[in-house]
Amino acid sequence: MTKKTILIIAFLCNLTLLNAQNTLIRTPTISPDASKMAFGYHGDIWVLDLNTNQKNRLTINQAYESNPIWNSKSNEIVFMSNRKGSRNIFKTDLNGGVPNQLTFYPTTDTPSQWRENGEIIFSSNRIFKGTERESSIYKINEKGETPTRFMTALGSQASVSPNGKLVAFVKGTCRISREDYNGPAQRDVWIYNIKTKEYHQITTSKKNDHTPLWDANNNLYYISAQSGRYNIYKTTLNENGSKLGVENQLTNLKVDGVLSFSVSNNGTIIYNSGIEVFKMLNGKTTKINLNLATDNRFNIEETKTVTDGIRDLSVSPNGKLIALSINGEIFVKENNKDKTKTNNVSNHPYKDDNPFWIDNNTLGFLSDRSGQNELYKVVSTDENVNLHRSLKTKVTQLTNSKIDVFEPILSPNRKKLAYRIGRGQLVIADVNNGKLSKPKSYSDTWAAANSVAWSPR
């Protein structure tokens, strides 16, 4: 049996991020009265009082909870949670407690607005999902009851203007995470006039536009990638919902675009960019510093005994050792069925697999520990024991490519190594004293070279 430690939060690369406790804030949402900010952190919903800087954790559950939306009185919140399996909508107040489940459909329901009349507007992939893959827009009473279709047009992120005359929503199916997308599926902001039943397209850029929101003066805000990065824009509309004049770009981010944003009645904006959260008021931007000193809901490490799940296997040239890839770690054991003890020679939170023996003492493998797939080797630095027992090992990177490396295949004489770079480049390099040299491209097309194999000689 094989024992290993799985790092649950492998994306936290060092303790500095853990100690800072000021990052990984998601979907920050300012209250209508601009006094508080709700946000997601470690999968729970929190509230920050912007006047006193007091933090309050509203939910604590092993499920993932996000997308908080305020009611008009700034004293209750709805949010999306998968605590019952599907991503449904739940409601809670500022005192916390057990949230009240509002939707129960086995799909994803994403809230976008809580109106003053008690209606909660949300997007859903339920019954009326069209062949275009777009969501439908629904409404549900804040007390629950049965959701009903809010409007016939397919779309998402719907928000009704404060005067109740216009509905801003998004059409398009491209993932919002594709900031640089330029194509027919890009998202655009539209307006639906409730009285005249007319539709007006507000954004016409070839990039994604999304998340339309209103302030109390019926000004429309949204996120657009037309500048090259996601930034926040503001525009005014005619009474019928058509665009009036040109839009005003409120942020000018060049590196990390706006991930999400919200706007209060008086036009105060909260947005997050990269790993930071910012507040914008009257054109002035300040960073919100949070110190969320909190215990973890989950164990950072989990020790498991693994009896199966071997992904790759490689036998050393002399037949004495076996290298195994299990759950993203590389283990070495003696080639003896009665000796079950193994040694973790990669021991890294990132994914390590595809082990191959360069010689009896040097093991190559594939890892994404540098941020992309590259080839590495590991040797024992203890002269008295080999990799199956050594606790002193050294890992060295063998390749340094511009894009991912895949599928290392060592020749039978162990003097050459074939591997793929990117989608379709087949490279063969010389192997000498555990190092790669003279890499040469033998095929470089859009199609990968499949079933690559070496001849016996």
Side-chain angles (χ1 to χ4, degrees):
M1 292 188 295
T2 303
K3 292 187 176 180
K4 65 164 292 185
T5 299
I6 302 175
L7 300 182
I8 301 300
I9 51 173
F11 58 88
L12 296 177
C13 299
N14 53 60
L15 292 178
T16 302
L17 288 178
L18 283 172
N19 293 332
Q21 298 288 319
N22 191 32
T23 60
L24 304 180
I25 302 301
R26 291 296 176 259
T27 58
T29 307
I30 192 169
S31 60
D33 63 6
S35 67
K36 294 173 283 293
M37 179 184 78
F39 58 93
Y41 179 69
H42 280 192
D44 287 321
I45 302 298
W46 294 64
V47 168
L48 169 70
D49 190 309
L50 295 173
N51 298 318
T52 65
N53 205 36
Q54 293 294 313
K55 284 82 64 176
N56 184 26
R57 189 182 203 161
L58 297 188
T59 68
I60 179 168
N61 193 282
Q62 293 185 355
Y64 188 83
E65 296 166 345
S66 63
N67 297 79
I69 300 293
W70 291 92
N71 67 349
S72 60
K73 297 180 180 179
S74 302
N75 62 357
E76 289 184 298
I77 291 172
V78 291
F79 58 92
M80 184 172 64
S81 174
N82 62 354
R83 60 173 60 198
K84 294 297 181 66
S86 300
R87 294 177 180 174
N88 290 133
I89 297 174
F90 291 76
K91 180 181 70 172
T92 188
D93 59 31
L94 297 183
N95 294 321
V98 179
N100 180 28
Q101 186 172 359
L102 298 182
T103 65
F104 297 83
Y105 206 82
T107 185
T108 296
D109 295 335
T110 307
S112 56
Q113 186 185 31
W114 192 343
R115 301 183 64 191
E116 190 173 356
N117 64 2
E119 288 180 346
I120 297 168
I121 310 297
F122 66 96
S123 306
S124 179
N125 291 332
R126 53 182 69 194
I127 300 172
F128 293 100
K129 184 177 178 65
T131 56
E132 301 92 337
R133 299 180 299 165
E134 285 197 89
S135 302
S136 301
I137 299 171
Y138 288 79
K139 66 179 180 180
I140 188 173
N141 186 273
E142 61 188 7
K143 296 180 181 179
E145 302 179 357
T146 301
T148 57
R149 193 86 178 273
F150 180 67
M151 53 191 294
T152 57
L154 296 177
S156 61
Q157 297 183 314
S159 179
V160 183
S161 62
N163 61 19
K165 297 179 179 180
L166 307 174
V167 181
F169 68 105
V170 173
K171 290 185 67 66
T173 59
C174 177
R175 296 191 306 273
I176 291 177
S177 58
R178 297 186 66 181
E179 188 177 28
D180 198 39
Y181 176 83
N182 184 341
Q186 102 278 354
R187 294 173 180 248
D188 281 311
V189 176
W190 286 69
I191 293 292
Y192 171 62
N193 189 309
I194 296 176
K195 182 178 180 180
T196 65
K197 312 299 182 184
E198 294 178 333
Y199 292 88
H200 301 278
Q201 185 173 350
I202 303 303
T203 62
T204 57
S205 74
K206 296 181 180 180
K207 298 297 184 70
N208 275 335
D209 308 304
H210 62 89
T211 316
L213 298 172
W214 306 88
D215 63 20
N217 295 321
N218 296 290
N219 295 306
L220 182 66
Y221 302 73
Y222 59 90
I223 294 176
S224 175
Q226 62 178 299
S227 66
R229 288 289 180 266
Y230 277 140
N231 279 289
I232 302 172
Y233 291 77
K234 176 183 177 181
T235 189
T236 56
L237 306 177
N238 291 306
E239 188 173 349
N240 67 349
S242 60
K243 189 174 179 180
L244 177 63
V246 298
E247 67 274 6
N248 179 25
Q249 184 175 337
L250 302 182
T251 60
N252 190 29
L253 302 177
K254 302 293 186 180
V255 180
D256 294 318
V258 175
L259 294 174
S260 67
F261 89 110
S262 60
V263 59
S264 69
N265 288 337
N266 68 359
T268 302
I269 293 174
I270 292 286
Y271 69 91
N272 60 332
S273 173
I275 58 175
E276 306 292 350
V277 182
F278 300 89
K279 176 182 177 181
M280 177 184 290
L281 178 60
N282 298 325
K284 182 181 178 181
T285 300
T286 56
K287 186 171 73 171
I288 296 178
N289 293 311
L290 291 170
N291 181 19
L292 299 175
T294 175
D295 192 9
N296 292 297
R297 291 184 297 125
F298 307 109
N299 290 328
I300 296 178
E301 296 182 356
E302 181 180 355
T303 300
K304 284 187 175 181
T305 299
V306 180
T307 58
D308 56 12
I310 297 175
R311 179 181 173 88
D312 294 294
L313 182 148
S314 180
V315 180
S316 62
N318 59 15
K320 294 182 179 181
L321 301 177
I322 297 177
L324 312 168
S325 172
I326 304 176
N327 290 343
E329 295 286 353
I330 306 296
F331 298 86
V332 175
K333 68 179 295 294
E334 291 185 87
N335 189 8
N336 187 327
K337 67 178 182 179
D338 296 323
K339 296 182 178 181
T340 59
K341 185 177 180 180
T342 63
N343 187 32
N344 187 339
V345 297
S346 59
N347 195 24
H348 199 278
Y350 282 81
K351 183 180 180 181
D352 306 315
D353 57 15
N354 292 115
F356 58 95
W357 289 97
I358 298 176
D359 55 48
N360 290 319
N361 301 308
T362 308
L363 181 66
F365 62 95
L366 190 68
S367 176
D368 61 354
R369 61 183 63 195
S370 67
Q372 67 179 34
N373 283 348
E374 299 285 359
L375 294 175
Y376 293 78
K377 70 174 181 180
V378 58
V379 296
S380 172
T381 58
D382 189 335
E383 297 180 355
N384 298 316
V385 292
N386 209 322
L387 285 174
H388 73 288
R389 289 183 54 200
S390 178
L391 298 180
K392 298 178 180 180
T393 59
K394 180 181 179 181
V395 174
T396 305
Q397 186 171 336
L398 296 176
T399 58
N400 187 18
S401 304
K402 293 182 179 180
I403 52 179
D404 288 318
V405 174
F406 301 96
E407 300 170 355
I409 304 174
L410 196 64
S411 63
N413 62 9
R414 304 186 186 277
K415 293 183 178 181
K416 292 186 180 295
L417 180 71
Y419 54 92
R420 176 164 59 90
I421 298 179
R423 181 179 180 89
Q425 184 180 9
L426 176 63
V427 174
I428 297 179
D430 292 341
V431 181
N432 188 12
N433 294 325
K435 297 181 180 180
L436 301 185
S437 62
K438 300 179 181 179
K440 182 178 180 181
S441 177
Y442 279 80
S443 175
D444 191 0
T445 68
W446 63 270
N450 294 321
S451 303
V452 176
W454 289 95
S455 64
R457 296 182 180 179

